[in-house]
Amino acid sequence: MERITYTATIERIVEHDVDTRSLFLRLPAKTAFTFTPGQFISVAIPLPNENRVRPYTIASSPGDDGPLEIVLDLVPGGAGSEYLFARTVGDRLNFTGPFGLFTLERPPDIETIFAAEATAIAPIRPMLHRALAQPSTVPLKLFHAARTRKELLYADEFQATARRYANFSYEPILAQPPAGWSGRSGTVMEHIRALFVDGDARRDRAFYLCGVGNGVIELRDLLRKAGYPRRAVQYERW
Ligand SMILES: Cc1cc2nc3c(=O)[nH]c(=O)nc-3n(C[C@H](O)[C@H](O)[C@H](O)COP(=O)(O)OP(=O)(O)OC[C@H]3O[C@@H](n4cnc5c(N)ncnc54)[C@H](O)[C@@H]3O)c2cc1C
C-alpha cells in the first residue's frame, strides 16, 4: 500500500528547556489523520547531504482538536534534531505515519505501571488520557524520571490528573533532587525494583516503559526475569 505523505505547518513552538521543545504541527483542514496513543510519525529531514527520516512520537491525544504535538530533545551532534530545532513557526514538515505497536488502545483492566525518562514521556501521555477515558478503579501509576525539574514535562498536568482521578498516581523522580524536593529520588529502575519486584510477590500487573538507550531494555529484562509475563511488559527504546 502506498504511504501517504502529510505536510504540516509548525503552528507553535514551546520551549520547555534550552534543549527540549514541543512543535505543534497543524495539518490542512479536513485532512484525515488518526492514530492510536503511543504511535509515532516519521519526519522527513532534508539535510544537505542526506534525506534523513526520524521517528517522533505524537505527544498529543487522538481526538484533541488542536495540532499534533511532538516533543523533542536537541541531541548533541544529531543532525536530525538540530534541523528540527532550527525550524520556526510557519515552516513546513513532511511526514508519514502513524506507525508503531507500542500503543494502548483501551483502558486497562489490571493495575498498570507507566515508566518513562524525560522526553520519553511522549507516548505515555496520550496513553494515560486513553486509560482514564472511562471511570475505573484500576490503579494506574506513572513514574517519570528526569535530571532536572524542567525535564519533568507536563508535571502540572499530571499533578492535576492525580487530583482528579483517585485511581491515578503521579510519581516524579529526580536523579539529584534540589533541597525541598518532596518527590522520589534516584532512578526508575530502583523504584520499580523496590515496589514491584522485591517488595511485592504479585505479578498481575502490566507495564509500559519508554526511554533512550539501554536502560529501558534492562528494566524490561528485570521485570520479565521477576516473573511478569512477556506480554505484560510493553516497551519502546529510542
Ligand atoms: C519509535 C521512536 C520514537 C521516537 N520519538 C521521539 C520523540 O518523540 N522525541 C525525541 O526527542 N526523540 C524521539 N526519538 C528519537 C529520534 O527519532 C531521533 O533518534 C533523535 O531525534 C536523534 O536523531 P538525530 O538525527 O538528531 O541524531 P542521530 O545522529 O540519529 O543520533 C542518534 C543518537 O541519539 C540518541 N538519542 C535518540 N533520541 C534521543 C533523545 N530524545 N535524547 C537524547 N539522545 C537521543 C540515540 O540513542 C543515538 O545514540 C524516537 C525514536 C524512536 C525509535
Side-chain angles (χ1 to χ4, degrees):
M1 205 169 74
E2 205 187 316
R3 282 183 185 163
I4 299 174
T5 298
Y6 297 91
T7 301
T9 305
I10 301 177
E11 185 176 274
R12 197 156 64 96
I13 297 175
V14 170
E15 264 199 43
H16 303 285
D17 204 348
V18 281
D19 55 2
T20 308
R21 61 177 56 169
S22 285
L23 304 183
F24 291 84
L25 310 179
R26 175 68 72 179
L27 284 162
K30 296 193 179 142
T31 304
F33 182 84
T34 53
F35 64 99
T36 305
Q39 286 194 303
F40 62 85
I41 54 175
S42 288
V43 178
I45 299 178
L47 301 176
N49 51 357
E50 174 195 344
N51 280 325
R52 192 171 278 211
V53 177
R54 287 288 179 271
Y56 292 94
T57 306
I58 306 168
S60 46
S61 283
D64 280 0
D65 256 358
L68 298 175
E69 178 179 353
I70 57 173
V71 56
L72 60 141
D73 291 314
L74 180 59
V75 175
S81 62
E82 279 169 9
Y83 174 88
L84 292 175
F85 265 70
R87 298 307 95 202
T88 56
V89 168
D91 285 352
R92 288 170 178 211
L93 292 179
N94 291 330
F95 66 84
T96 56
F99 303 115
L101 300 173
F102 179 63
T103 56
L104 188 139
E105 298 198 29
R106 59 188 69 83
D109 49 17
I110 58 170
E111 179 180 352
T112 300
I113 314 302
F114 300 88
E117 284 173 351
T119 321
I121 194 68
I124 306 292
R125 184 182 183 221
M127 286 183 185
L128 283 169
H129 287 176
R130 178 62 56 86
L132 291 162
Q134 61 194 46
S136 166
T137 54
V138 170
L140 306 171
K141 297 180 177 145
L142 169 61
F143 292 80
H144 189 197
R147 285 171 306 178
T148 63
R149 270 177 193 259
K150 280 189 178 173
E151 279 188 355
L152 287 173
L153 300 167
Y154 313 112
D156 293 347
E157 176 183 312
F158 294 135
Q159 271 155 8
T161 306
R163 283 193 294 273
R164 184 166 166 205
Y165 296 92
N167 62 322
F168 172 66
S169 64
Y170 171 51
E171 304 282 355
I173 306 171
L174 285 182
Q176 289 166 339
W181 171 247
S182 59
R184 295 173 182 268
S185 59
T187 65
V188 168
M189 184 81 152
E190 285 162 16
H191 292 285
I192 298 281
R193 184 195 290 277
L195 291 166
F196 308 115
V197 175
D198 297 339
D200 190 340
R202 276 178 45 210
R203 293 295 180 258
D204 56 343
R205 35 173 92 83
F207 294 84
Y208 286 82
L209 319 171
C210 190
V212 177
N214 276 338
V216 71
I217 304 296
E218 287 164 12
L219 190 49
R220 175 202 71 183
D221 291 345
L222 170 79
L223 293 165
R224 286 182 177 171
K225 281 188 194 131
Y228 287 99
R230 284 180 82 83
R231 69 174 184 287
V233 185
Q234 304 288 327
Y235 69 98
E236 187 167 78
R237 182 210 168 154
W238 290 0

